[in-house]
Amino acid sequence: MTGSTSMRLNVLIPSDLVIDEQVVKIIAEGTNGSFALLPRHVDFVAPLSAGVLAYTTRAGDEYFLGVDEGILVKCAENVRVSTRRAAKATSLALLRDHIVTEFEAYDEQKAAARMALAHLELELIRRFVELGH
């Protein structure tokens, strides 16, 4: 345990560092339920389920982060969260709106990718048929 009064929170997605901030409290949803972290808590590792991670800055501001499944590691004053996707907001209502928009865009991208793959498969089949004649 340390004598620190804050923790350094880093939230990473594969392409970016989303959060790098001094915080005094973190609330997260693990696979075994919700938990809170304070600066003097013991070091540990926890798998995260998709949900909301809340944190409070030293200034007393509370932020919410929608995260995909991931892993949280607390070591001394450092807390690192690694996840596939994360969205930050100042309220739960704004977070909900942001996540809905992001998931709609993600679903549209997946649908476009599936359509492109289907076109490629059809073209490949057409060429095999042409070769057979």
Side-chain angles (χ1 to χ4, degrees):
M1 289 202 244
T2 67
S4 179
T5 59
S6 67
M7 303 171 283
R8 169 68 62 188
L9 174 62
N10 295 124
V11 177
L12 302 110
I13 60 173
S15 62
D16 200 9
L17 174 64
V18 178
I19 305 287
D20 181 11
E21 204 162 339
Q22 287 294 123
V23 301
V24 295
K25 183 178 180 182
I26 299 169
I27 299 174
E29 294 182 38
T31 55
N32 293 326
S34 296
F35 60 92
L37 285 177
L38 296 173
R40 294 186 180 114
H41 281 175
V42 68
D43 295 348
F44 75 99
V45 175
L48 298 178
S49 52
V52 176
L53 182 144
Y55 65 92
T56 305
T57 65
R58 286 196 287 193
D61 299 322
E62 187 172 36
Y63 293 94
F64 301 94
L65 196 66
V67 296
D68 208 343
E69 294 176 337
I71 191 89
L72 178 144
V73 178
K74 181 183 184 305
C75 183
E77 302 85 38
N78 298 308
V79 178
R80 291 191 177 96
V81 173
S82 180
T83 183
R84 285 180 288 187
R85 292 186 291 177
K88 180 181 173 182
T90 56
S91 74
L92 289 173
L94 290 173
L95 180 62
R96 181 191 166 282
D97 293 344
H98 183 76
I99 288 173
V100 166
T101 302
E102 185 176 309
F103 279 117
E104 286 175 355
Y106 180 71
D107 288 343
E108 289 172 9
Q109 290 172 351
K110 278 179 41 179
R114 279 194 303 270
M115 186 167 296
L117 182 59
H119 285 296
L120 287 172
E121 289 172 346
L122 287 173
E123 183 64 20
L124 183 63
I125 291 169
R126 185 183 66 75
R127 292 192 184 227
F128 275 134
V129 169
E130 287 175 356
L131 286 173
H133 287 20

